Amino acid sequence: CLYKKCICIFKVGVNMEYENNDERERYLVSRGRIIVNACPGSGKTTSVAYKLNNLVREWAHKHSGIACLSFTNVAKDEINEKYYAFSGKALSHPHLVSTLDSFINQYITLPHYQQVLGYTNRPVIIEDTTWLNSLRLYQFRFGTVPIQHTYNPAKIDITHDGHFTYDGKTPNLSPGDAAKFIRYCKEIKKIQFQNGLLKNSDSIYLAYKIISEKPEIAKLLSLRFPYIIIDEAQDTSEIQQLILEKLLEYNLESIELIGDPYQSLYEWRDARPDLFFAKIKS
């Protein structure tokens, strides 16, 4: 964990104190590929905000910046508040504090959806996905029962390698029913994508597809944000991790993964704390 006997206290910014120690100092001075594994209450978010303030003060580039990304709006807001307390001002361009989902939507999927993927309609991210269940797909049946009654469209997703899941799992079906399920899922996604109707999970899948097919986009994004910090990294999904690895493959200078695998709250939403464990062990 990050908190041992304090060796010094810095009073900075508006009204925020930062208690430093040997382990925190190791994190503050580290650059490159960094993993911080720390327990609840150890000061992870405070240390991220303090380091972000240090990095911004040292930053010499006008057109590229630091992206500090978290998994939830609550955590994003906490980083922004602590950064303000340390620096006395709000974070501004070219730097960014955002959620990982919003970052992927804003910088990969939405600007490249039409040009790279060839769709004509402008994409939108659907907040309430349940209305997708009203799509008329009754031509797909298990026997006499419409397949839509068993597998509603709102819970259909695509994995990074093109397989379909329902509610995060691959259905255990006979070969005949599995083939029907695949045709049904393909039709759902065809309707969604042609009309630009994307769930967040669709956007993440398409973002991975975009940077896999067009690596120059990953290169440009790595130039725009050469330093990326991921808070709550234990809650990232496999495909989000793959997107980050693509950015590393194409010249991302520094990445930090900050988290606690025992603190994962979003395994119901495809969080993969085991991947965070694997990176720690490697």
Side-chain angles (χ1 to χ4, degrees):
C1 77
L2 288 179
Y3 62 126
K4 289 186 176 179
K5 185 178 179 181
C6 299
I7 56 173
C8 52
I9 296 178
F10 299 103
K11 190 168 185 178
V12 291
V14 179
N15 56 5
M16 190 88 169
E17 290 186 352
Y18 183 73
E19 299 180 0
N20 204 6
N21 60 42
D22 291 340
E23 289 193 336
R24 289 183 178 185
E25 184 64 20
R26 285 177 59 202
Y27 166 62
L28 294 175
V29 300
S30 294
R31 305 290 186 269
R33 302 186 181 192
I34 299 161
I35 295 177
V36 175
N37 176 26
C39 63
S42 57
K44 293 189 294 292
T45 303
T46 302
S47 294
V48 166
Y50 185 75
K51 183 172 183 177
L52 181 60
N53 181 41
N54 290 348
L55 290 169
V56 169
R57 286 187 305 184
E58 299 166 0
W59 201 256
H61 310 289
K62 293 182 178 180
H63 304 293
S64 64
I66 304 156
C68 185
L69 311 175
S70 194
F71 198 76
T72 63
N73 284 315
V74 171
K76 175 202 74 174
D77 292 343
E78 184 181 1
I79 292 170
N80 269 324
E81 290 166 5
K82 291 186 175 183
Y83 174 82
Y84 182 86
F86 285 131
S87 67
K89 57 186 177 182
L91 190 72
S92 59
H93 181 86
H95 311 294
L96 173 74
V97 175
S98 179
T99 65
L100 182 54
D101 282 347
S102 294
F103 178 80
I104 290 170
N105 294 341
Q106 181 180 353
Y107 289 97
I108 305 178
T109 307
L110 298 182
H112 301 293
Y113 183 81
Q114 292 166 297
Q115 183 178 2
V116 176
L117 300 177
Y119 295 111
T120 55
N121 286 313
R122 290 185 63 184
V124 294
I125 306 299
I126 304 168
E127 295 297 332
D128 180 9
T129 62
T130 57
W131 69 267
L132 290 174
N133 299 333
S134 64
L135 293 175
R136 297 185 177 276
L137 295 167
Y138 288 101
Q139 69 270 34
F140 296 93
R141 296 176 177 271
F142 280 156
T144 59
V145 180
I147 191 174
Q148 190 170 4
H149 288 175
T150 306
Y151 299 105
N152 63 67
K155 294 185 178 181
I156 299 293
D157 285 307
I158 315 178
T159 63
H160 70 278
D161 52 1
H163 292 94
F164 294 100
T165 63
Y166 179 74
D167 201 17
K169 300 177 182 178
T170 302
N172 185 16
L173 300 171
S174 67
D177 283 345
K180 292 178 185 177
F181 176 76
I182 291 170
R183 289 198 303 272
Y184 164 73
C185 293
K186 286 181 177 178
E187 187 65 19
I188 287 170
K189 295 307 175 187
K190 178 182 176 182
I191 293 171
Q192 279 189 245
F193 296 167
Q194 284 179 343
N195 289 281
L197 305 174
L198 308 182
K199 303 190 298 176
N200 252 317
S201 55
D202 296 322
S203 176
I204 294 167
Y205 161 74
L206 291 171
Y208 180 69
K209 183 178 174 68
I210 286 167
I211 62 174
S212 296
E213 294 181 1
K214 297 286 185 179
E216 58 268 30
I217 293 172
K219 292 177 183 177
L220 289 171
L221 189 54
S222 295
L223 288 172
R224 174 64 182 85
F225 294 104
Y227 202 119
I228 295 180
I229 302 171
I230 308 292
D231 190 29
E232 298 181 322
Q234 76 279 352
D235 285 323
T236 53
S237 66
E238 180 180 18
I239 198 164
Q240 287 171 330
Q241 289 277 1
L242 289 171
I243 289 171
L244 295 172
E245 288 172 11
K246 280 289 182 184
L247 296 179
L248 279 169
E249 184 179 342
Y250 294 107
N251 302 324
L252 182 66
E253 290 179 12
S254 295
I255 187 167
E256 299 184 7
L257 302 179
I258 319 292
D260 175 6
Y262 296 107
Q263 214 178 342
S264 181
L265 299 176
Y266 291 92
E267 290 184 72
W268 58 272
R269 229 204 77 168
D270 298 327
R272 291 289 303 275
D274 58 306
L275 297 177
F276 188 77
F277 259 129
K279 283 184 168 55
I280 293 168
K281 293 178 180 178
S282 68

